[in-house]
Amino acid sequence: MRTSDLGLNPEQDEAVHTIDGPLLIIAGAGSGKTRVITFRIAHMLECHIPQSAILALTFTNKAAREMEERAKQLTGRKLTNLTVSTFHAFGVQVLREKGEALGYRPNFTIYDTDDSFTLLKECARVLEQSWELAELQAIAQQISAVKSQRKGWSDEPSEVKKLYQEYAEHLMLYNAVDFDDLITKPLELFEKHADILGEYRERYRYIMVDEFQDTSITQFRFVELLAREHHNLCVVGDDDQSIYSWRGANFENILLFEQHFPERKEIKLEQNYRSTGAILAAANALILNNTNRKEKALWTQADAGKAIELVHPEDETKEAQFITETIKTLVFRENRKYDDFGILVRTNSLTKNIEMQLLATNIPYKMSGGTSFFQRKEVKDVIAYLRVLTNPRDNVNFLRVLNTPRRGAGKVLLETLNRVSQLKSISLFDALKDILLSEQAPISDQARADLSEFLELIGDYRERARSPKGKFAAHLKELLEDIAYWEFLLADNPNSDKVAKWKWQNVESLMKFLDDWENDPEAPRTDLMSFLNRITLITRDDLNDKEDKGSVSLMTIHASKGLEFNVVFLMGVEDKILPHERSIEEGPHMVEEERRLFYVAITRARQKLYMTACTTRRTLKETFHPEPSPFLTEIPGALLNVTDGTPEQDATVDDLENLMANLKKVTGA
């Protein structure tokens, strides 16, 4: 289908048909930017630009999938050579293809945050450094900031720099990268190897970046390097929605883009297709108070809609009750579905009472964010053992279990393992066998004994795993006893038995899951490999839970970006919560980011917006009387309907008649 046949407003049409040269698209909230990007891809293909020459980058897998699917639907083509990717996934692609130039083998491992922190603790132990948990977490954040070039080393003690160096060396030794490396290492590759950069410049001659206001300095340098030769770089963003400075996002990249590409064309998308007039008027009035921004004003052809409800409940319990009662009322009176509703909070600490109230009133909900069960360290440890039992030549999981619990496998042994593995083209498991057979191996007698026992243990339990009876759950419990995993958890959490017990409960949950699997009469296969494959699928489903229908969405404002709901509840619109106390302390620039965060929250709502600000709020330490957020004074009073949250009257005769009419429609009566 030709893009000219599709309904675009004049600004959208201009953005779609401007494909040569640098282009800056300022896309306000709800202005159809994803539509513009996908139509633009379709138009480029219409103009006979090869799929393989187009690179579209965004920040979430969901956004990338949506963009790719829409482009396929528009063009009616499979688009197998089109690259639509997150920044980090594209970084993985570059490192897989060319990472050997930096010393990486193609099968490198990507460490998540938990893996990285575990390695950092291990490196501190190797260096005989002693840190409190909070100190080590701060060091991890500092290392991330240094690696992504947000900060440099200033007055940090030499121990921190040594720890950073040890951490970097271990990553290379393990043929592993962390999350930051997925941007910084490809950038390093391009800066050090002009021939490789030239190859990618020639391959990707048309580049688009979505959510450009969320890019970091390193991400901007990355795309600017790629686009420097052909200049066909289109960036789409909204500085009013830049809310991720804490993870390196720099909304001033829009200014950098203008400096690097002075010949750019600029198009503003200001027509909003999402929210009512009242909601947009509130958002516009609020964001005008920020000084460092591109001038724009959202407008809509939709009705003004109802005023925003500002509710002052007595406390957080009444706040939760008001929200659940309102949801029930709207479901009843307006025939709404639960997935029409989004409940947004500034911090996760505000979710406890609303979660309890949702459960008490039987309202189905899903909490976005948090750690998947299968991504918890202790669960990953046990799964790694199971994977090694089914495939001992799985280098990634072999390295995970080799020193879990610790068996004296230090840096020297790991270097020897890698060298023997590469020299003989064998797995690390087989390399360890070779080393233990050698009298000259650089290994202590105790480590040799421990590692020999480890290989015997793997061999023993591999035989059990191959048993035709296919019942391994009991053996797994015995395996964990043999390796003293409970004692390892206690030693790894010396200051908290409760943490160790909680982690062990997660391990027991996994064992029960395996036991249920093996005893399921309807399961076509109950062998260990099928179980592990099933876990992979469950993990993928778990990560896609946000797609589930029929549940209220509960999430932080940060997690809500890119989403929209017919009805939004914004909790805790109070001073020191929004804006957050830490941001107030950091200065005016962070207060402006908090205002952008409030702006994002408001513009998630399509039809109705409720905001709550309690008159009393309790924390673990105290009960206090918060002031309403100062941001509320920036919204014209005519747009707000202020109440105390008293429940509405019972249903009227009209309500009941409307309900009966809806039931007749559903049943066909």
Side-chain angles (χ1 to χ4, degrees):
M1 178 182 290
R2 294 183 58 83
T3 57
S4 55
D5 297 332
L6 301 166
L8 298 168
N9 68 40
E11 292 77 20
Q12 290 176 332
D13 186 76
E14 184 180 10
V16 165
H17 290 88
T18 303
I19 58 176
D20 292 313
L23 175 63
L24 171 60
I25 302 175
I26 301 296
S31 62
K33 68 177 179 62
T34 303
R35 192 166 180 247
V36 166
I37 292 171
T38 51
F39 286 10
R40 196 169 181 274
I41 291 172
H43 180 61
M44 284 193 283
L45 296 174
E46 265 189 359
C47 295
H48 307 294
I49 294 171
Q51 297 175 36
S52 57
I54 300 171
L55 171 64
L57 296 172
T58 187
F59 279 85
T60 67
N61 290 315
K62 179 182 176 183
R65 284 195 303 270
E66 181 183 359
M67 208 179 291
E68 186 172 4
E69 286 305 313
R70 283 204 200 179
K72 288 177 180 177
Q73 290 170 8
L74 275 175
T75 60
R77 297 163 65 179
K78 293 183 178 180
L79 304 182
T80 52
N81 294 319
L82 177 69
T83 304
V84 181
S85 171
T86 65
F87 269 94
H88 291 88
F90 184 63
V92 172
Q93 176 187 325
V94 172
L95 288 178
R96 295 273 188 230
E97 293 174 348
K98 301 294 181 181
E100 290 184 57
L102 294 178
Y104 294 101
R105 299 191 299 281
N107 64 335
F108 61 83
T109 304
I110 302 168
Y111 278 10
D112 60 20
T113 304
D114 181 60
D115 293 332
S116 298
F117 191 69
T118 300
L119 177 59
L120 192 63
K121 288 197 294 186
E122 178 66 19
C123 291
R125 191 189 65 81
V126 169
L127 293 173
E128 298 182 345
Q129 294 181 358
S130 180
W131 301 97
E132 295 292 332
L133 182 63
E135 292 176 320
L136 205 57
Q137 289 171 337
I139 291 171
Q141 292 174 356
Q142 174 70 0
I143 287 175
S144 175
V146 169
K147 293 184 78 166
S148 58
Q149 301 174 19
R150 284 176 275 151
K151 294 181 181 178
W153 293 116
S154 51
D155 298 324
E156 284 77 10
S158 59
E159 287 81 1
V160 175
K161 297 177 184 177
K162 287 179 182 176
L163 182 56
Y164 171 60
Q165 188 60 39
E166 189 77 12
Y167 172 76
E169 289 176 4
H170 269 75
L171 279 175
M172 184 59 72
L173 182 64
Y174 289 166
N175 193 37
V177 294
D178 63 20
F179 203 59
D180 292 312
D181 289 331
L182 297 179
I183 303 298
T184 59
K185 291 300 180 182
L187 178 59
E188 179 185 343
L189 188 67
F190 289 163
E191 290 176 334
K192 288 183 175 179
H193 299 275
D195 56 329
I196 294 176
L197 173 60
E199 189 178 324
Y200 280 89
R201 280 178 175 172
E202 190 55 35
R203 185 190 305 181
Y204 298 112
R205 292 178 284 114
Y206 292 84
I207 303 172
M208 281 182 284
V209 181
D210 186 20
E211 303 287 8
F212 186 65
Q213 76 282 344
D214 293 334
T215 54
S216 65
I217 290 292
T218 48
Q219 287 166 331
F220 174 74
R221 289 176 58 199
F222 184 61
V223 294
E224 190 273 328
L225 264 179
L226 278 176
R228 191 177 293 172
E229 183 174 336
H230 297 287
H231 280 222
N232 297 323
L233 175 61
C234 169
V235 300
V236 186
D238 179 7
D239 50 347
D240 288 339
Q241 297 186 69
S242 180
I243 59 175
Y244 294 113
S245 66
W246 48 275
R247 70 181 190 195
N250 181 15
F251 73 94
E252 292 183 348
N253 278 349
I254 291 176
L255 299 178
L256 281 177
F257 178 82
E258 293 174 342
Q259 292 168 13
H260 282 80
F261 300 96
E263 77 279 23
R264 80 213 170 270
K265 185 173 188 177
E266 181 176 319
I267 300 171
K268 290 182 181 178
L269 306 181
E270 296 172 294
Q271 183 175 355
N272 178 282
Y273 294 91
R274 176 188 299 158
S275 304
T276 64
I279 291 169
L280 284 189
N284 283 334
L286 172 79
I287 206 63
L288 277 173
N289 292 276
N290 271 7
T291 55
N292 196 1
R293 62 183 291 266
K294 283 270 187 183
E295 186 178 337
K296 73 186 80 67
L298 298 182
W299 62 277
T300 180
Q301 292 181 338
D303 293 337
K306 292 188 175 182
I308 295 168
E309 298 281 342
L310 174 58
V311 182
H312 292 290
E314 181 182 338
D315 56 28
E316 63 275 10
T317 301
K318 296 290 186 183
E319 178 183 47
Q321 289 173 351
F322 164 75
I323 292 172
T324 54
E325 287 169 2
T326 303
I327 290 173
K328 288 281 191 182
T329 298
L330 293 177
V331 167
F332 175 74
R333 289 187 174 177
E334 300 180 8
N335 197 31
R336 291 188 180 273
K337 299 176 181 177
Y338 284 123
D339 57 7
D340 279 339
F341 300 93
I343 304 173
L344 311 185
V345 295
R346 173 62 182 85
T347 67
N348 279 317
S349 62
L350 295 175
T351 63
K352 179 182 176 182
N353 285 284
I354 186 62
E355 283 200 76
M356 291 174 65
Q357 189 63 25
L358 288 166
L359 288 168
T361 52
N362 294 316
I363 295 177
Y365 76 96
K366 58 181 183 289
M367 176 84 184
S368 297
T371 304
S372 160
F373 175 78
F374 295 102
Q375 294 300 312
R376 292 171 183 165
K377 178 185 179 301
E378 61 279 6
V379 176
K380 289 175 70 175
D381 284 345
V382 178
I383 291 173
Y385 267 99
L386 296 177
R387 292 196 185 281
V388 168
L389 295 181
T390 56
N391 176 21
R393 289 165 181 81
D394 177 342
N395 283 353
V396 172
N397 286 292
F398 175 76
L399 279 174
R400 186 178 186 98
V401 304
L402 180 63
N403 242 9
T404 305
R406 296 184 182 91
R407 299 185 177 90
K411 189 197 297 187
V412 174
L413 175 64
L414 291 174
E415 289 172 344
T416 307
L417 271 175
N418 272 301
R419 188 168 60 252
V420 172
S421 170
Q422 292 180 38
L423 185 66
K424 297 189 175 184
S425 298
I426 57 177
S427 69
L428 295 175
F429 178 81
D430 291 325
L432 180 59
K433 285 183 178 179
D434 274 19
I435 290 170
L436 291 177
L437 290 172
S438 170
E439 296 295 330
Q440 288 77 37
I443 184 171
S444 69
D445 291 342
Q446 183 60 54
R448 184 184 294 275
D450 289 345
L451 291 168
S452 296
E453 185 179 325
F454 166 70
L455 287 181
E456 289 176 12
L457 178 135
I458 295 298
D460 177 23
Y461 281 94
R462 283 203 73 207
E463 289 299 320
R464 302 190 198 190
R466 287 198 289 256
S467 168
K469 295 181 181 179
K471 305 290 184 184
F472 193 76
H475 295 307
L476 176 56
K477 183 177 181 181
E478 191 177 342
L479 167 63
L480 294 174
E481 290 172 356
D482 283 347
I483 65 173
Y485 192 75
W486 163 244
E487 290 76 8
F488 169 71
L489 288 178
L490 285 173
D492 212 38
N493 299 276
N495 299 320
S496 178
D497 286 357
K498 287 184 179 179
V499 172
K501 288 176 181 176
W502 182 78
K503 289 177 178 286
W504 181 251
Q505 286 173 356
N506 289 332
V507 171
E508 290 180 323
S509 295
L510 180 66
M511 287 192 285
K512 184 178 185 305
F513 189 39
L514 173 59
D515 186 55
D516 291 345
W517 163 270
E518 291 179 332
N519 289 288
D520 182 357
E522 297 183 6
R525 297 187 64 184
T526 58
D527 59 286
L528 196 53
M529 181 60 77
S530 298
F531 173 74
L532 293 171
N533 290 339
R534 176 62 178 154
I535 282 178
T536 302
L537 293 174
I538 289 174
T539 304
R540 188 178 302 154
D541 292 343
D542 183 56
L543 293 174
N544 289 334
D545 270 349
K546 295 175 188 176
E547 305 294 337
D548 288 349
K549 301 295 182 184
S551 298
V552 172
S553 293
L554 173 61
M555 63 185 67
T556 64
I557 303 172
H558 283 98
S560 75
K561 188 156 177 300
L563 303 177
E564 54 188 61
F565 304 95
N566 286 333
V567 182
V568 166
F569 295 89
L570 179 55
M571 294 175 55
V573 187
E574 300 155 20
D575 194 23
K576 298 185 179 179
I577 294 179
L578 189 64
H580 196 277
E581 188 172 16
R582 285 196 307 269
S583 298
I584 297 171
E585 292 169 356
E586 289 183 34
H589 69 289
M590 287 307 299
V591 172
E592 290 214 347
E593 177 151 330
E594 291 288 303
R595 188 178 283 110
R596 293 195 292 269
L597 194 60
F598 192 16
Y599 174 85
V600 166
I602 290 173
T603 54
R604 297 312 92 196
R606 291 193 190 106
Q607 299 164 2
K608 294 187 178 184
L609 174 61
Y610 296 84
M611 300 189 292
T612 59
C614 293
T615 56
T616 303
R617 191 173 289 278
R618 289 184 295 269
T619 67
L620 291 174
K621 297 179 181 178
E622 60 178 334
T623 298
F624 59 100
H625 300 281
E627 291 292 324
S629 169
F631 292 152
L632 290 171
T633 64
E634 299 171 0
I635 297 175
L639 298 174
L640 300 174
N641 180 34
V642 185
T643 71
D644 63 0
T646 303
E648 296 183 38
Q649 298 296 317
D650 291 339
T652 64
V653 173
D654 287 342
D655 291 325
L656 295 174
E657 288 179 351
N658 287 337
L659 177 63
M660 292 304 297
N662 284 327
L663 285 173
K664 287 179 180 179
K665 286 181 184 178
V666 172
T667 60

